[in-house]
Amino acid sequence: MRITVTGATGTIGGAAIEAMRSRGDEVVALVRDTAKARSKLGAGVELQSWPDPKQGPPPAAALEDADAVLHLLGEPIDQRWSDDAKREIRDSRVLSTRSLVTGLAAVDAARRPRTLVSQSAVGYYGAHGDEPVDESTPAGGDFLAGVVRDWEREASAAADGGVRVVCTRTGVVLSPAGGALAKMLPPFKLGVGGPVAGGRQYVSWIHADDLTGIVLSALDDERWSGAVNGTAPEPVTNAELSKALGRALRRPAVLPVPALALRILYGEMAQIVTDGARVLPAKALVLGYEFVHPSLDEALASALSR
């Protein structure tokens, strides 16, 4: 397959591209800085410049005759949510997706990619306590849920041009190369990690290998469409995750982090840590995806051994 990828230099993009190339796919990366991307991606990936995804569509050459597009762009969420930061978090997702779909629509139908897999997030659901939620659960009412809802709406518009659209609602990715786990490691390695905000809130996690596996399945299998939760079958509470990480590192994990301290430090953004949702990968399981790392202890051991 010939697959065009946005967000190619990120943690998820890098893992997905490695898996694609290992199975013989031809990869085209849409990037802002070609020199920087070349140093990260190497010589085996075709680079196409897309300097400002919010302002206009990518070059037609990056989309024409591709079999599929994997769209992974988005400003990091784990920052203090000032008004400017919230605007960029939303626009980097919503406007870039709108630009991409506009570009797809401009490609002649005979040369247009057949599939768009667009990254999404479990933030779609908002806080749900210990209530299990799946792809049929409606969107929450907070800021992040609104961003994800609008993000997915823009991606879904590609279906008007005959493109099969899959939105992978990603949970907390276990990868030491980046993301939440990489940020958790320093305090836990020092023995000062522990449960956050009481630890009762659910964390819907997934090993990076399984997220890559879900993405590849969504690219390959025409039965996959619409929203698909990118989470492991056994979400855990924050306290359970802390204990498991402590076991994996052979360090104590008992020092609690009060919710108030997080709110003082991060403001509104703290809600993504203090709130939670017990998100289940119902559609992926129905479609036959077999998780490589369904157990948290084994998944952490695998991620930390890389």
Side-chain angles (χ1 to χ4, degrees), residues 9-42:
T9 59
T11 301
I12 298 172
I17 287 176
E18 183 179 352
M20 291 172 191
R21 293 188 62 200
S22 69
R23 68 180 196 172
D25 290 331
E26 181 182 354
V27 178
V28 180
L30 277 165
V31 299
R32 293 183 177 90
D33 185 331
T34 54
K36 182 178 178 181
R38 180 61 70 204
S39 67
K40 280 195 170 186
L41 300 176

Side-chain angles (χ1 to χ4, degrees), residues 8-174:
T9 59
T11 301
I12 298 172
I17 287 176
E18 183 179 352
M20 291 172 191
R21 293 188 62 200
S22 69
R23 68 180 196 172
D25 290 331
E26 181 182 354
V27 178
V28 180
L30 277 165
V31 299
R32 293 183 177 90
D33 185 331
T34 54
K36 182 178 178 181
R38 180 61 70 204
S39 67
K40 280 195 170 186
L41 300 176
V45 175
E46 179 184 333
L47 301 183
Q48 292 279 347
S49 177
W50 193 16
D52 192 347
K54 294 182 295 183
Q55 294 299 319
L63 302 176
E64 290 172 344
D65 300 320
D67 296 290
V69 177
L70 174 59
H71 182 45
L72 302 171
L73 282 181
E75 175 76 5
I77 290 172
D78 54 345
Q79 57 179 300
R80 191 174 183 88
W81 288 355
S82 65
D83 288 344
D84 287 344
K86 289 172 76 170
R87 186 179 305 109
E88 184 61 21
I89 286 168
R90 183 186 187 279
D91 289 353
S92 66
R93 290 164 171 78
V94 175
L95 297 186
S96 73
T97 306
R98 184 180 302 168
S99 294
L100 176 61
V101 171
T102 298
L104 287 169
V107 175
D108 183 81
R111 305 181 69 185
R112 185 179 301 150
R114 300 187 302 272
T115 302
L116 168 62
V117 176
S118 183
Q119 185 182 5
S120 183
V122 296
Y124 176 89
Y125 302 107
H128 274 271
D130 61 0
E131 171 196 355
V133 301
D134 62 21
E135 291 88 351
S136 66
T137 304
D142 59 23
F143 164 70
L144 192 55
V147 169
V148 179
R149 183 192 62 236
D150 294 347
W151 189 13
E152 292 187 358
R153 184 185 63 239
E154 296 295 339
S156 298
D160 294 340
V163 177
R164 177 175 62 91
V165 179
V166 185
C167 294
T168 50
R169 293 176 180 163
T170 303
V172 172
V173 181
L174 300 186

Side-chain angles (χ1 to χ4, degrees), residues 107-299:
V107 175
D108 183 81
R111 305 181 69 185
R112 185 179 301 150
R114 300 187 302 272
T115 302
L116 168 62
V117 176
S118 183
Q119 185 182 5
S120 183
V122 296
Y124 176 89
Y125 302 107
H128 274 271
D130 61 0
E131 171 196 355
V133 301
D134 62 21
E135 291 88 351
S136 66
T137 304
D142 59 23
F143 164 70
L144 192 55
V147 169
V148 179
R149 183 192 62 236
D150 294 347
W151 189 13
E152 292 187 358
R153 184 185 63 239
E154 296 295 339
S156 298
D160 294 340
V163 177
R164 177 175 62 91
V165 179
V166 185
C167 294
T168 50
R169 293 176 180 163
T170 303
V172 172
V173 181
L174 300 186
S175 169
L181 180 59
K183 289 180 171 61
M184 292 173 69
L185 286 177
F188 275 82
K189 285 181 176 179
L190 292 172
V192 294
V196 174
R200 292 183 297 274
Q201 69 278 26
Y202 269 85
V203 179
S204 299
W205 62 274
I206 187 168
H207 190 287
D209 289 349
D210 279 314
L211 181 56
T212 297
I214 284 175
V215 165
L216 294 183
S217 297
L219 288 167
D220 295 346
D221 192 336
E222 294 188 357
R223 297 177 303 151
W224 292 58
S225 65
V228 175
N229 290 334
T231 58
E234 299 178 8
V236 297
T237 65
N238 180 274
E240 291 169 334
L241 175 60
S242 297
K243 290 178 182 177
L245 186 53
R247 286 194 299 270
L249 295 171
R250 299 181 182 179
R251 294 289 189 275
V254 296
L255 294 178
V257 180
L260 178 60
L262 283 177
R263 294 190 183 102
I264 292 172
L265 185 61
Y266 293 114
E268 186 182 359
M269 190 279 285
Q271 72 182 54
I272 68 174
V273 181
T274 60
D275 298 338
R278 190 179 181 181
V279 181
L280 304 177
K283 190 178 287 188
L285 291 172
V286 167
L287 288 167
Y289 181 76
E290 296 184 7
F291 283 82
V292 180
H293 305 286
S295 163
L296 178 60
D297 283 318
E298 187 280 328

